[in-house]
Amino acid sequence: MDFSLSDTQQMLRDTAERLVRERYGFEERKRILAGPGGFSRELWATYAELGLLGIEVAEDQGGIGGNFQDLAIVLEAFGRGLVVEPYVPTVVLGAGLVNAAGSDAQKADILPRVVGGEAYLAFAHGEPKSRYTLAHVATSATADGDGFSLTGDKAVVLGGDVADLFIVSARTAGKAGDTDGLSLFLVPKDAAGLTVRGYPTVDGTRAAEVSLRGAKVGRDALLGPEGGAFPLIAQALDRGAAALCAEAVGVMTALNELTLDYLKTRTQFGVPIGSFQVLQHHMADMFIAQEQARSMAILAASRADSADAAARSRAISAAKVQVGKSARFIGQQSVQMHGGIGITEEYVAGHYFKRLTTIDRTFGDVDFHLTRFATLAA
Amino acid sequence: MDLNYTAEEQAFAAEVRAWVRANLPAETRHAVEHHKRLRKEQYVDWQRRLADHGWGAPSWPTQFGGPGWTPVQKHIFDEVLSEEHAPQPLPFGLNMIGPVIMAFGSKAQQDHYLPRILTQEDWWCQGFSEPGSGSDLASLRSKAVLDGDQWVINGQKTWTTLAQHANIIFVLARTDFQAKPQKGISMFLVDMALPGVTVRPIITVDGEHEVNEVFFDDVRIPKDCIVGEPGQGWTYAKFLLSHERTGIARIGRSKAELRRLKHIAATETVDGVPLIDTSGFREKVAGLEIELMALELTNLRMLAAEKHGQAPGAEANMLKIKGSEIQQTLTELMMEAVGPYALPFDPQAREQGWNGEPIGPDYAAPLAPDYFNYRKVTIYGGSNEIQRNILAKAHLGL
């Protein structure tokens, strides 16, 4: 049993935390959100220079050959800064799927571009009727000449409005809900029949509704086995959930620090409000919630690439439940203790709260993961 | 970072398990597993077996007879013993007065008392709380006055766990009536066979006799039965209450109880469907299991920090708060699991060797009484409100 950080992890933490401290102040973030695309391509290039876009990518493809725990270190720091660049869609989901399922040619084509900051990816999987059910894919992929023709709708595709390349889940057999018959396809943003409707999400990041109407791709667009993509999808979404757990711990830690500071400095009735016992007890419970979430985020990161899929999913569901509950509690309590300022646009507390709320709604909420945890055997 | 036990730690767990299986008497094991009342000699017998094997005091330094284990080994030991349904170690000697005597007691006290704690030759109990002094312990009114070469103690203690079995008690009493409340308190080691010591049972709402009142009427003890310096009792008491860290969350015990809950919920049915498969109850159990997983990892993180020389901070308060809440929820869900068969009150069914016909399922009788009894865990050892006060003040700086 060892919870200490490796040298690489220590370096990644220092790098990411310094970046957030120096380049991601609240005013800077506001400027980034108001700019073109709602994120900073300049910072994305910096992430590339620092190696942050290729943590899990093999060294011969330009990456640093690290593991998911290394990635989680960076995500926690990004959570502190409320980083809005499409890191999870491109690096965790997109590059992760190519890494896991891609042919040598696909890896050689895509991964160096991601590592270099030249390509944005998005995983177009969820659908308007799927909620969080993994196998609820109605989008069809029918054989068409030498390739496939894709038709269907993809909902709330994270990072979809800037993606250069989509990884689209579609059915080559079966019906919505079947775990068999699912396939993944690489679809460029300019493919005929593909329409992207981008929009901001409530936390300030970006997503898109993606529709495919007879979008044609070649046979070489198939990523992984035809009809056998379900385990890849499950792993990708587990990895996404584990990544958000790490990010949420960063957000919660920063929000608790902010709130604690407020309790010590805000005075009412002539005394700091932190001298009131009811607020002290709330703050103690928020600290406990943060540490319980941190423990489970560490577990999730350590299991994200486990070969035992059921054990991986069970651990990550447990983590997403704990993180979701802690995040909701801390978010709501922080706003409450700040009073009115907590729900203003001009103050950062409410932005942390919005990010935490977004995370709970992404890759399965508390209820979804609680049921999944309960039904997966230990 | 590696969340798995090392090969050495796994081998250690296997060694402990094999030894416990070979040495824990079947009757004791059965009684613990099925929530029966343990007899005094069963506690003593088990502690002696552990002590004979060198495992009597997992958290003691080797110089006083401890095994010299790492924090992780202590956690594994606690977990395996819980899984194997060994009696929970009694904290009063091992984890409360023992460490105080090591740190502040005289050489003579160390030589006399510590070996007797290891072998349970003395059964210690704790004389802290008084009828008027619960969370506000420093307001205690018991007093000790020096008369020649004897202290004369007068006062009343309460909530004294298992005092009916104890032969010796550590007592906080006021020796200086002018000083600030915390400064005037001293700690004494009192033989309960002395004239003037009276133990009176308190029966709790589960019908059990676990706690007592202890009265001191002109009890005369030798002058050297004080611990350390007069007026330092409060400091020693704080040391005592903060010393017991590993095991404070009772994680091993809760994991064993969670298995029992799942077993009961798999046996009980709702319209033919196992209760554990009904949505609602299933999610409640799952939610609790996740809380327990998180707490175990939090505890392990603390232990790892301890191994690297970082002293545990206010996180110990966190373990007490969450650990006690989880224990209570476990008893609540077990009671819920048996439905209306939580209602029959049949105290004799908790007696070992009772062969009567159970009312309802044989596991049902202790469940509601346990639920009532376990309300104590958020009250004792510093109520959870006091724990939150300490966490907020000491750790968060509020």
Side-chain angles (χ1 to χ4, degrees):
Chain A
M1 179 110 17
D2 178 16
F3 291 90
S4 57
L5 299 185
S6 68
D7 290 347
T8 305
Q9 288 169 342
Q10 195 61 57
M11 184 212 55
L12 285 168
R13 164 162 295 178
D14 293 346
T15 302
E17 286 186 349
R18 188 180 329 114
L19 185 88
V20 162
R21 213 167 41 240
E22 292 173 0
R23 307 282 300 274
Y24 240 94
F26 185 52
E27 293 305 319
E28 186 71 9
R29 180 176 180 270
K30 266 203 268 191
R31 197 187 59 71
I32 291 169
L33 283 172
F39 73 102
S40 168
R41 287 179 189 268
E42 185 194 339
L43 273 174
W44 194 256
T46 305
Y47 302 156
E49 280 164 34
L50 295 171
L52 302 181
L53 303 182
I55 289 172
E56 291 180 298
V57 176
E59 292 179 48
D60 60 11
Q61 255 131 17
I64 63 173
N67 61 28
F68 196 90
Q69 289 170 315
D70 304 334
L71 200 62
I73 299 277
V74 173
L75 281 154
E76 185 180 336
F78 279 6
R80 283 184 153 272
L82 291 173
V83 165
V84 297
E85 280 68 44
Y87 190 84
V88 169
T90 298
V91 174
V92 180
L93 297 179
L97 272 168
V98 173
N99 228 347
S103 65
D104 289 346
Q106 286 168 331
K107 287 185 189 176
D109 172 37
I110 298 165
L111 294 178
R113 286 194 285 141
V114 170
V115 174
E118 295 139 30
Y120 297 95
L121 310 184
F123 183 31
H125 173 63
E127 301 189 353
K129 298 290 182 197
S130 68
R131 290 182 67 87
Y132 304 116
T133 307
L134 268 52
H136 193 105
V137 173
T139 297
S140 64
T142 48
D144 184 350
D146 196 25
F148 297 88
S149 168
L150 309 183
T151 294
D153 295 299
K154 294 294 179 180
V156 199
V157 177
L158 300 184
D161 66 336
V162 294
D164 303 300
L165 184 64
F166 290 91
I167 297 168
V168 177
S169 61
R171 251 180 211 291
T172 41
K175 59 179 191 311
D178 294 347
T179 51
D180 287 338
L182 288 166
S183 307
L184 297 174
F185 298 93
L186 295 162
V187 185
K189 67 173 175 186
D190 49 10
L194 177 106
T195 315
V196 176
R197 179 186 170 200
Y199 50 82
T201 50
V202 290
D203 60 328
T205 61
R206 308 277 307 179
E209 300 294 286
V210 176
S211 89
L212 301 125
R213 293 289 176 268
K216 289 188 73 170
V217 291
R219 194 142 195 105
D220 59 357
L222 191 62
L223 181 70
E226 180 177 340
F230 182 76
L232 292 167
I233 293 168
Q235 184 179 22
L237 294 173
D238 276 350
R239 285 165 45 88
L244 293 187
C245 286
E247 185 190 336
V249 168
V251 181
M252 284 187 261
T253 307
L255 182 52
N256 271 347
E257 285 170 7
L258 183 78
T259 307
L260 183 59
D261 187 56
Y262 191 76
L263 293 184
K264 290 175 180 175
T265 50
R266 166 76 173 171
T267 59
Q268 287 287 274
F269 308 102
V271 291
I273 60 173
S275 64
F276 301 131
Q277 193 176 46
V278 67
L279 300 192
Q280 291 178 356
H281 285 197
H282 286 164
M283 196 69 233
D285 285 334
M286 289 156 69
F287 173 76
I288 293 172
Q290 166 199 308
E291 290 306 305
Q292 290 280 80
R294 185 186 308 283
S295 293
M296 293 305 276
I298 291 170
L299 176 71
S302 78
R303 297 282 185 268
D305 283 323
S306 163
D308 181 343
R312 177 198 73 214
S313 292
R314 194 169 192 274
I316 289 174
S317 276
K320 194 72 169 41
V321 169
Q322 179 65 58
V323 167
K325 285 181 174 175
S326 291
R328 187 177 304 192
F329 179 72
I330 290 170
Q332 292 176 352
Q333 289 293 329
S334 293
V335 167
Q336 177 69 21
M337 294 213 270
H338 274 93
I341 192 77
I343 46 169
T344 60
E345 190 65 18
E346 68 185 41
Y347 187 68
V348 67
H351 296 269
Y352 288 124
F353 178 41
K354 289 200 288 183
R355 182 63 192 147
L356 290 175
T357 304
T358 301
I359 286 173
D360 188 31
R361 312 256 68 78
T362 307
F363 308 141
D365 60 10
V366 168
D367 286 348
F368 170 83
H369 282 289
L370 190 58
T371 300
R372 192 171 79 143
F373 174 82
T375 48
L376 283 168
Chain B
M1 200 173 297
D2 184 357
L3 302 198
N4 299 308
Y5 287 132
T6 62
E8 292 78 25
E9 286 162 347
Q10 289 177 32
F12 174 74
E15 180 197 347
V16 172
R17 192 178 306 280
W19 186 85
V20 174
R21 286 188 177 167
N23 289 278
L24 177 63
E27 190 195 16
T28 304
R29 181 190 175 99
H30 183 271
V32 172
E33 182 176 3
H34 298 277
H35 296 203
K36 306 274 188 184
R37 292 182 198 101
L38 278 186
R39 294 187 301 273
K40 177 180 180 179
E41 69 268 20
Q42 288 175 300
Y43 282 109
V44 174
D45 168 72
W46 176 236
Q47 178 60 29
R48 293 215 168 131
R49 287 169 190 256
L50 288 169
D52 287 347
H53 195 62
W55 293 353
S59 55
W60 285 15
T62 47
Q63 66 182 109
F64 295 114
W69 287 338
T70 65
V72 173
Q73 281 180 303
K74 282 185 258 175
H75 174 81
I76 290 172
F77 182 75
D78 172 59
E79 178 165 339
V80 172
L81 260 60
S82 295
E83 277 173 8
E84 296 296 325
H85 307 294
Q88 291 289 295
L90 294 164
F92 310 105
L94 280 176
N95 298 322
M96 290 183 168
I97 196 63
V100 169
I101 290 173
M102 286 174 213
F104 308 107
S106 66
K107 178 78 169 56
Q109 286 170 340
Q110 292 175 354
D111 291 345
H112 177 72
Y113 289 117
L114 296 178
R116 296 167 63 89
I117 290 174
L118 263 176
T119 56
Q120 194 83 24
E121 204 161 330
D122 285 328
W123 186 304
W124 283 91
C125 63
Q126 179 186 23
F128 278 16
S129 293
E130 298 184 2
S133 303
S135 288
D136 182 13
L137 187 59
S139 69
L140 62 88
R141 292 162 63 187
S142 290
K143 59 182 181 178
V145 178
L146 197 57
D147 179 21
D149 58 357
Q150 290 182 321
W151 291 98
V152 183
I153 300 182
N154 279 283
Q156 180 188 350
K157 295 295 174 178
T158 192
W159 313 127
T160 315
T161 300
L162 298 180
Q164 71 266 36
H165 297 329
N167 64 303
I168 188 158
I169 181 168
F170 51 93
V171 175
L172 291 181
R174 195 164 296 288
T175 47
D176 182 341
F177 301 88
Q178 317 304 326
K180 270 179 55 184
Q182 286 86 348
K183 296 283 180 196
I185 295 171
S186 303
M187 187 182 285
F188 299 94
L189 311 175
V190 182
D191 181 348
M192 294 179 76
L194 288 170
V197 179
T198 312
V199 176
R200 185 184 294 166
I202 299 173
I203 305 303
T204 41
V205 284
D206 55 344
E208 296 294 312
H209 174 200
E210 189 174 61
V211 288
N212 302 271
E213 295 177 289
V214 181
F215 297 87
F216 299 86
D217 297 302
D218 290 326
V219 177
R220 292 182 164 269
I221 59 170
K223 195 177 168 184
D224 61 3
C225 286
I226 191 169
V227 177
E229 300 295 320
Q232 291 299 305
W234 184 253
T235 305
Y236 307 154
K238 280 204 299 187
F239 173 85
L240 179 153
L241 290 171
S242 67
H243 188 269
E244 163 62 348
R245 290 197 173 102
T246 50
I248 197 171
R250 296 253 172 165
I251 287 163
R253 175 81 179 155
S254 287
K255 285 174 80 173
E257 291 299 299
L258 178 69
R259 276 190 290 280
R260 183 173 162 81
L261 167 63
K262 286 180 171 179
H263 167 72
I264 292 172
T267 311
E268 294 290 315
T269 56
V270 181
D271 299 328
V273 177
L275 179 64
I276 193 70
D277 293 332
T278 60
S279 112
F281 200 82
R282 181 181 65 190
E283 276 73 25
K284 281 197 236 183
V285 174
L288 183 64
E289 181 169 359
I290 291 167
E291 293 252 5
L292 184 53
M293 285 171 76
L295 191 66
E296 182 178 22
L297 280 164
T298 303
N299 190 34
L300 288 167
R301 286 203 288 129
M302 273 182 61
L303 296 177
E306 208 177 318
K307 201 162 99 179
H308 289 101
Q310 291 165 257
E315 289 91 340
N317 309 109
M318 173 169 110
L319 292 178
K320 162 65 165 66
I321 292 168
K322 289 310 289 187
S324 57
E325 289 175 355
I326 287 169
Q327 290 175 67
Q328 289 186 334
T329 308
L330 276 163
T331 61
E332 195 172 329
L333 292 183
M334 274 196 255
M335 175 179 68
E336 281 183 30
V338 290
Y341 274 119
L343 299 183
F345 182 55
D346 191 6
Q348 61 178 350
R350 306 194 65 178
E351 212 53 61
Q352 294 181 59
W354 180 73
N355 281 322
E357 179 69 22
I359 307 170
D362 59 3
Y363 47 70
L367 301 181
D370 283 347
Y371 164 72
F372 293 126
N373 181 281
Y374 266 61
R375 305 317 295 171
K376 73 188 175 189
V377 298
T378 49
I379 300 168
Y380 69 32
S383 73
N384 283 19
E385 288 71 26
I386 293 291
Q387 301 293 336
R388 288 185 173 90
N389 285 350
I390 297 170
L391 206 163
K393 286 185 168 62
H395 190 77
L396 301 176
L398 288 171

